[in-house]
Amino acid sequence: MFRLLRRIVMLLFLFVAVGAAAFYVLYFRRTPLPPAPPHARAVPKIAKLPGLATCWIETGKTFSRFSIAMTAGSILVKHPAGDLLIDAGNSCHFAKDVSVYPFWLRWKLQALAGELNPEVPLPEMLRRAGEDPAKLRWAILSHVHLDHAGGLTDLPRLTVLMTREELLFANDPEIQAKGYVLAAYTKVLPKPNAPTLQFDPKPYEIFDESVDLYRDGSVVVVPLRGHTPGSVGIFVNLSPTRRFFYVGDSVDDERGYEERVGKPLILRDSDNDPALANQVVSRLSQLHEKVPGLAIIPAHGRSAYLKLFPAGPLTCVSGLSR
């Protein structure tokens, strides 16, 4: 009996050791990246805008008690000229939406993106933050992957700001077959021949193109092509000293730009153009060095959100907040 127990303990120890090693290789081990080429900084002029605020709308989370905690949902920008929703998280019908895929692909989607399914539908979360979903002016997607676009299907129809290259990507049957983009979600997006976002050749920070959404410097969008062909980053300038840069899945967590490392192995195949995606990571690392006071927010990096919103989800900050 003692020998049997000892063997069971040894097997359990071996199982835990193998699992820990696999988790390290799949998630914690990252590839160091070369620095980005030197780039001049176009320093923006930022003024406080009365009435401007931003709120954290969290619809899903996982590993919330650990340093690797992940989040999903939206950031709401309250603007006097009309409110903006940045990303939308998963649809509350996620399981049904991915049921069209073969078993192994469906299992993969549920095991990764599906872990961040809404606990409460996005419209209700917006109402809890004091926002009427019907009165949103715009939504903008950092990119069109299912865990960023799905929540749009739960909202009233509104204008979604997207570039032509991202819309073409979203409507590509080969991309849809991989499961990262769902054909059903394209119904709430603009048509590829009618894009709603186009960049100007105007430098902003260390980026060569940009678009000032409200034409007042409060929300500025720049291209971050790589994770998807039309990935974008969104600067929100609450005041000259309180700013953040939402970067979608260009990095998975703060470690990406702080240590200048690539994505973990388990998530690497989500990049449409891995080489270009790595260049974006290096560029974000460069920006972090040049502008250390700028909060860089990865879409799923919960620790970064908690630094910007110390009171947690469903709270708001403004240029007057401490």
PDB file of all heavy atoms in Angstrom, residues 127-149:
ATOM      1  N   ARG A 127     -25.041  50.783 -19.084  1.00  0.00           N
ATOM      2  CA  ARG A 127     -26.061  51.478 -18.285  1.00  0.00           C
ATOM      3  C   ARG A 127     -25.598  51.629 -16.839  1.00  0.00           C
ATOM      4  O   ARG A 127     -25.856  52.654 -16.202  1.00  0.00           O
ATOM      5  CB  ARG A 127     -27.392  50.718 -18.344  1.00  0.00           C
ATOM      6  CG  ARG A 127     -28.042  50.718 -19.727  1.00  0.00           C
ATOM      7  CD  ARG A 127     -29.429  50.098 -19.697  1.00  0.00           C
ATOM      8  NE  ARG A 127     -29.936  49.919 -21.052  1.00  0.00           N
ATOM      9  CZ  ARG A 127     -29.870  48.770 -21.722  1.00  0.00           C
ATOM     10  NH1 ARG A 127     -29.351  47.687 -21.150  1.00  0.00           N
ATOM     11  NH2 ARG A 127     -30.334  48.688 -22.953  1.00  0.00           N
ATOM     12  N   ARG A 128     -24.906  50.626 -16.330  1.00  0.00           N
ATOM     13  CA  ARG A 128     -24.405  50.709 -14.954  1.00  0.00           C
ATOM     14  C   ARG A 128     -23.356  51.800 -14.818  1.00  0.00           C
ATOM     15  O   ARG A 128     -23.136  52.317 -13.714  1.00  0.00           O
ATOM     16  CB  ARG A 128     -23.820  49.359 -14.522  1.00  0.00           C
ATOM     17  CG  ARG A 128     -24.855  48.253 -14.389  1.00  0.00           C
ATOM     18  CD  ARG A 128     -24.240  46.954 -13.914  1.00  0.00           C
ATOM     19  NE  ARG A 128     -25.217  45.868 -13.887  1.00  0.00           N
ATOM     20  CZ  ARG A 128     -24.960  44.640 -13.451  1.00  0.00           C
ATOM     21  NH1 ARG A 128     -23.748  44.336 -12.996  1.00  0.00           N
ATOM     22  NH2 ARG A 128     -25.898  43.716 -13.456  1.00  0.00           N
ATOM     23  N   ALA A 129     -22.702  52.138 -15.916  1.00  0.00           N
ATOM     24  CA  ALA A 129     -21.720  53.225 -15.907  1.00  0.00           C
ATOM     25  C   ALA A 129     -22.367  54.570 -16.241  1.00  0.00           C
ATOM     26  O   ALA A 129     -21.667  55.566 -16.412  1.00  0.00           O
ATOM     27  CB  ALA A 129     -20.597  52.922 -16.894  1.00  0.00           C
ATOM     28  N   GLY A 130     -23.700  54.589 -16.356  1.00  0.00           N
ATOM     29  CA  GLY A 130     -24.418  55.827 -16.636  1.00  0.00           C
ATOM     30  C   GLY A 130     -24.520  56.173 -18.100  1.00  0.00           C
ATOM     31  O   GLY A 130     -24.828  57.317 -18.452  1.00  0.00           O
ATOM     32  N   GLU A 131     -24.273  55.186 -18.978  1.00  0.00           N
ATOM     33  CA  GLU A 131     -24.291  55.432 -20.423  1.00  0.00           C
ATOM     34  C   GLU A 131     -25.513  54.766 -21.064  1.00  0.00           C
ATOM     35  O   GLU A 131     -25.772  53.582 -20.844  1.00  0.00           O
ATOM     36  CB  GLU A 131     -23.029  54.880 -21.065  1.00  0.00           C
ATOM     37  CG  GLU A 131     -22.942  55.065 -22.568  1.00  0.00           C
ATOM     38  CD  GLU A 131     -22.682  56.517 -22.966  1.00  0.00           C
ATOM     39  OE1 GLU A 131     -22.214  57.295 -22.116  1.00  0.00           O
ATOM     40  OE2 GLU A 131     -22.932  56.866 -24.137  1.00  0.00           O
ATOM     41  N   ASP A 132     -26.241  55.529 -21.857  1.00  0.00           N
ATOM     42  CA  ASP A 132     -27.345  54.976 -22.646  1.00  0.00           C
ATOM     43  C   ASP A 132     -26.754  54.439 -23.950  1.00  0.00           C
ATOM     44  O   ASP A 132     -26.262  55.222 -24.771  1.00  0.00           O
ATOM     45  CB  ASP A 132     -28.374  56.056 -22.946  1.00  0.00           C
ATOM     46  CG  ASP A 132     -29.565  55.541 -23.752  1.00  0.00           C
ATOM     47  OD1 ASP A 132     -29.521  54.377 -24.204  1.00  0.00           O
ATOM     48  OD2 ASP A 132     -30.523  56.311 -23.938  1.00  0.00           O
ATOM     49  N   PRO A 133     -26.755  53.112 -24.176  1.00  0.00           N
ATOM     50  CA  PRO A 133     -26.142  52.556 -25.393  1.00  0.00           C
ATOM     51  C   PRO A 133     -26.693  53.168 -26.678  1.00  0.00           C
ATOM     52  O   PRO A 133     -25.967  53.274 -27.665  1.00  0.00           O
ATOM     53  CB  PRO A 133     -26.479  51.065 -25.303  1.00  0.00           C
ATOM     54  CG  PRO A 133     -26.699  50.804 -23.852  1.00  0.00           C
ATOM     55  CD  PRO A 133     -27.301  52.057 -23.304  1.00  0.00           C
ATOM     56  N   ALA A 134     -27.945  53.573 -26.647  1.00  0.00           N
ATOM     57  CA  ALA A 134     -28.569  54.137 -27.850  1.00  0.00           C
ATOM     58  C   ALA A 134     -28.011  55.519 -28.197  1.00  0.00           C
ATOM     59  O   ALA A 134     -28.228  56.002 -29.308  1.00  0.00           O
ATOM     60  CB  ALA A 134     -30.079  54.206 -27.673  1.00  0.00           C
ATOM     61  N   LYS A 135     -27.306  56.135 -27.256  1.00  0.00           N
ATOM     62  CA  LYS A 135     -26.807  57.493 -27.492  1.00  0.00           C
ATOM     63  C   LYS A 135     -25.314  57.536 -27.809  1.00  0.00           C
ATOM     64  O   LYS A 135     -24.743  58.623 -27.916  1.00  0.00           O
ATOM     65  CB  LYS A 135     -27.121  58.366 -26.279  1.00  0.00           C
ATOM     66  CG  LYS A 135     -28.612  58.601 -26.092  1.00  0.00           C
ATOM     67  CD  LYS A 135     -28.899  59.565 -24.950  1.00  0.00           C
ATOM     68  CE  LYS A 135     -30.399  59.815 -24.820  1.00  0.00           C
ATOM     69  NZ  LYS A 135     -30.707  60.756 -23.714  1.00  0.00           N
ATOM     70  N   LEU A 136     -24.685  56.368 -27.967  1.00  0.00           N
ATOM     71  CA  LEU A 136     -23.285  56.350 -28.379  1.00  0.00           C
ATOM     72  C   LEU A 136     -23.151  56.968 -29.762  1.00  0.00           C
ATOM     73  O   LEU A 136     -23.963  56.714 -30.651  1.00  0.00           O
ATOM     74  CB  LEU A 136     -22.755  54.918 -28.410  1.00  0.00           C
ATOM     75  CG  LEU A 136     -22.498  54.238 -27.060  1.00  0.00           C
ATOM     76  CD1 LEU A 136     -22.286  52.748 -27.267  1.00  0.00           C
ATOM     77  CD2 LEU A 136     -21.300  54.855 -26.359  1.00  0.00           C
ATOM     78  N   ARG A 137     -22.112  57.743 -29.966  1.00  0.00           N
ATOM     79  CA  ARG A 137     -21.884  58.333 -31.281  1.00  0.00           C
ATOM     80  C   ARG A 137     -21.160  57.360 -32.201  1.00  0.00           C
ATOM     81  O   ARG A 137     -21.519  57.203 -33.367  1.00  0.00           O
ATOM     82  CB  ARG A 137     -21.086  59.625 -31.140  1.00  0.00           C
ATOM     83  CG  ARG A 137     -20.731  60.270 -32.482  1.00  0.00           C
ATOM     84  CD  ARG A 137     -20.018  61.598 -32.312  1.00  0.00           C
ATOM     85  NE  ARG A 137     -19.671  62.171 -33.607  1.00  0.00           N
ATOM     86  CZ  ARG A 137     -19.062  63.345 -33.765  1.00  0.00           C
ATOM     87  NH1 ARG A 137     -18.743  64.083 -32.704  1.00  0.00           N
ATOM     88  NH2 ARG A 137     -18.779  63.794 -34.971  1.00  0.00           N
ATOM     89  N   TRP A 138     -20.104  56.746 -31.664  1.00  0.00           N
ATOM     90  CA  TRP A 138     -19.252  55.861 -32.451  1.00  0.00           C
ATOM     91  C   TRP A 138     -18.797  54.669 -31.618  1.00  0.00           C
ATOM     92  O   TRP A 138     -18.795  54.708 -30.390  1.00  0.00           O
ATOM     93  CB  TRP A 138     -17.958  56.581 -32.869  1.00  0.00           C
ATOM     94  CG  TRP A 138     -18.041  57.693 -33.834  1.00  0.00           C
ATOM     95  CD1 TRP A 138     -18.807  57.764 -34.963  1.00  0.00           C
ATOM     96  CD2 TRP A 138     -17.296  58.920 -33.788  1.00  0.00           C
ATOM     97  NE1 TRP A 138     -18.573  58.944 -35.626  1.00  0.00           N
ATOM     98  CE2 TRP A 138     -17.650  59.667 -34.923  1.00  0.00           C
ATOM     99  CE3 TRP A 138     -16.349  59.450 -32.920  1.00  0.00           C
ATOM    100  CZ2 TRP A 138     -17.103  60.929 -35.196  1.00  0.00           C
ATOM    101  CZ3 TRP A 138     -15.806  60.687 -33.174  1.00  0.00           C
ATOM    102  CH2 TRP A 138     -16.176  61.414 -34.303  1.00  0.00           C
ATOM    103  N   ALA A 139     -18.346  53.648 -32.321  1.00  0.00           N
ATOM    104  CA  ALA A 139     -17.505  52.604 -31.746  1.00  0.00           C
ATOM    105  C   ALA A 139     -16.273  52.508 -32.625  1.00  0.00           C
ATOM    106  O   ALA A 139     -16.339  52.745 -33.836  1.00  0.00           O
ATOM    107  CB  ALA A 139     -18.233  51.264 -31.705  1.00  0.00           C
ATOM    108  N   ILE A 140     -15.147  52.187 -32.016  1.00  0.00           N
ATOM    109  CA  ILE A 140     -13.932  51.934 -32.781  1.00  0.00           C
ATOM    110  C   ILE A 140     -13.324  50.629 -32.275  1.00  0.00           C
ATOM    111  O   ILE A 140     -13.308  50.374 -31.064  1.00  0.00           O
ATOM    112  CB  ILE A 140     -12.927  53.108 -32.683  1.00  0.00           C
ATOM    113  CG1 ILE A 140     -11.749  52.869 -33.619  1.00  0.00           C
ATOM    114  CG2 ILE A 140     -12.464  53.329 -31.246  1.00  0.00           C
ATOM    115  CD1 ILE A 140     -10.833  54.089 -33.778  1.00  0.00           C
ATOM    116  N   LEU A 141     -12.887  49.788 -33.197  1.00  0.00           N
ATOM    117  CA  LEU A 141     -12.266  48.518 -32.839  1.00  0.00           C
ATOM    118  C   LEU A 141     -10.761  48.624 -33.013  1.00  0.00           C
ATOM    119  O   LEU A 141     -10.279  49.083 -34.054  1.00  0.00           O
ATOM    120  CB  LEU A 141     -12.802  47.389 -33.720  1.00  0.00           C
ATOM    121  CG  LEU A 141     -14.310  47.106 -33.650  1.00  0.00           C
ATOM    122  CD1 LEU A 141     -14.656  45.942 -34.572  1.00  0.00           C
ATOM    123  CD2 LEU A 141     -14.747  46.811 -32.223  1.00  0.00           C
ATOM    124  N   SER A 142     -10.023  48.185 -31.998  1.00  0.00           N
ATOM    125  CA  SER A 142      -8.569  48.103 -32.156  1.00  0.00           C
ATOM    126  C   SER A 142      -8.239  47.130 -33.273  1.00  0.00           C
ATOM    127  O   SER A 142      -7.256  47.318 -33.997  1.00  0.00           O
ATOM    128  CB  SER A 142      -7.915  47.658 -30.846  1.00  0.00           C
ATOM    129  OG  SER A 142      -8.349  46.354 -30.474  1.00  0.00           O
ATOM    130  N   HIS A 143      -9.063  46.101 -33.411  1.00  0.00           N
ATOM    131  CA  HIS A 143      -8.991  45.149 -34.521  1.00  0.00           C
ATOM    132  C   HIS A 143     -10.256  44.306 -34.487  1.00  0.00           C
ATOM    133  O   HIS A 143     -11.052  44.393 -33.551  1.00  0.00           O
ATOM    134  CB  HIS A 143      -7.729  44.288 -34.453  1.00  0.00           C
ATOM    135  CG  HIS A 143      -7.634  43.416 -33.238  1.00  0.00           C
ATOM    136  ND1 HIS A 143      -7.477  43.926 -31.969  1.00  0.00           N
ATOM    137  CD2 HIS A 143      -7.666  42.054 -33.101  1.00  0.00           C
ATOM    138  CE1 HIS A 143      -7.413  42.924 -31.103  1.00  0.00           C
ATOM    139  NE2 HIS A 143      -7.539  41.788 -31.754  1.00  0.00           N
ATOM    140  N   VAL A 144     -10.446  43.490 -35.512  1.00  0.00           N
ATOM    141  CA  VAL A 144     -11.750  42.875 -35.726  1.00  0.00           C
ATOM    142  C   VAL A 144     -11.865  41.449 -35.186  1.00  0.00           C
ATOM    143  O   VAL A 144     -12.866  40.783 -35.437  1.00  0.00           O
ATOM    144  CB  VAL A 144     -12.091  42.918 -37.239  1.00  0.00           C
ATOM    145  CG1 VAL A 144     -11.314  41.846 -38.002  1.00  0.00           C
ATOM    146  CG2 VAL A 144     -13.586  42.837 -37.489  1.00  0.00           C
ATOM    147  N   HIS A 145     -10.897  40.959 -34.431  1.00  0.00           N
ATOM    148  CA  HIS A 145     -11.003  39.611 -33.872  1.00  0.00           C
ATOM    149  C   HIS A 145     -12.270  39.467 -33.033  1.00  0.00           C
ATOM    150  O   HIS A 145     -12.767  40.439 -32.455  1.00  0.00           O
ATOM    151  CB  HIS A 145      -9.771  39.269 -33.050  1.00  0.00           C
ATOM    152  CG  HIS A 145      -8.588  38.883 -33.876  1.00  0.00           C
ATOM    153  ND1 HIS A 145      -7.332  38.688 -33.357  1.00  0.00           N
ATOM    154  CD2 HIS A 145      -8.464  38.646 -35.212  1.00  0.00           C
ATOM    155  CE1 HIS A 145      -6.485  38.347 -34.325  1.00  0.00           C
ATOM    156  NE2 HIS A 145      -7.160  38.320 -35.453  1.00  0.00           N
ATOM    157  N   LEU A 146     -12.753  38.222 -32.956  1.00  0.00           N
ATOM    158  CA  LEU A 146     -14.078  37.965 -32.382  1.00  0.00           C
ATOM    159  C   LEU A 146     -14.239  38.458 -30.952  1.00  0.00           C
ATOM    160  O   LEU A 146     -15.326  38.883 -30.551  1.00  0.00           O
ATOM    161  CB  LEU A 146     -14.419  36.479 -32.466  1.00  0.00           C
ATOM    162  CG  LEU A 146     -13.729  35.489 -31.518  1.00  0.00           C
ATOM    163  CD1 LEU A 146     -14.413  34.127 -31.639  1.00  0.00           C
ATOM    164  CD2 LEU A 146     -12.260  35.339 -31.739  1.00  0.00           C
ATOM    165  N   ASP A 147     -13.164  38.444 -30.142  1.00  0.00           N
ATOM    166  CA  ASP A 147     -13.282  38.865 -28.747  1.00  0.00           C
ATOM    167  C   ASP A 147     -13.168  40.375 -28.580  1.00  0.00           C
ATOM    168  O   ASP A 147     -13.147  40.875 -27.449  1.00  0.00           O
ATOM    169  CB  ASP A 147     -12.245  38.146 -27.884  1.00  0.00           C
ATOM    170  CG  ASP A 147     -10.819  38.357 -28.364  1.00  0.00           C
ATOM    171  OD1 ASP A 147     -10.612  38.463 -29.578  1.00  0.00           O
ATOM    172  OD2 ASP A 147      -9.907  38.407 -27.517  1.00  0.00           O
ATOM    173  N   HIS A 148     -13.132  41.105 -29.685  1.00  0.00           N
ATOM    174  CA  HIS A 148     -13.147  42.563 -29.657  1.00  0.00           C
ATOM    175  C   HIS A 148     -14.357  43.125 -30.394  1.00  0.00           C
ATOM    176  O   HIS A 148     -14.794  44.237 -30.103  1.00  0.00           O
ATOM    177  CB  HIS A 148     -11.865  43.118 -30.279  1.00  0.00           C
ATOM    178  CG  HIS A 148     -10.639  42.744 -29.517  1.00  0.00           C
ATOM    179  ND1 HIS A 148      -9.979  43.611 -28.685  1.00  0.00           N
ATOM    180  CD2 HIS A 148      -9.964  41.559 -29.437  1.00  0.00           C
ATOM    181  CE1 HIS A 148      -8.936  42.993 -28.134  1.00  0.00           C
ATOM    182  NE2 HIS A 148      -8.921  41.751 -28.578  1.00  0.00           N
ATOM    183  N   ALA A 149     -14.887  42.353 -31.338  1.00  0.00           N
ATOM    184  CA  ALA A 149     -16.006  42.814 -32.156  1.00  0.00           C
ATOM    185  C   ALA A 149     -17.345  42.222 -31.745  1.00  0.00           C
ATOM    186  O   ALA A 149     -18.394  42.786 -32.050  1.00  0.00           O
ATOM    187  CB  ALA A 149     -15.750  42.477 -33.635  1.00  0.00           C
TER     188      ALA A 149
END
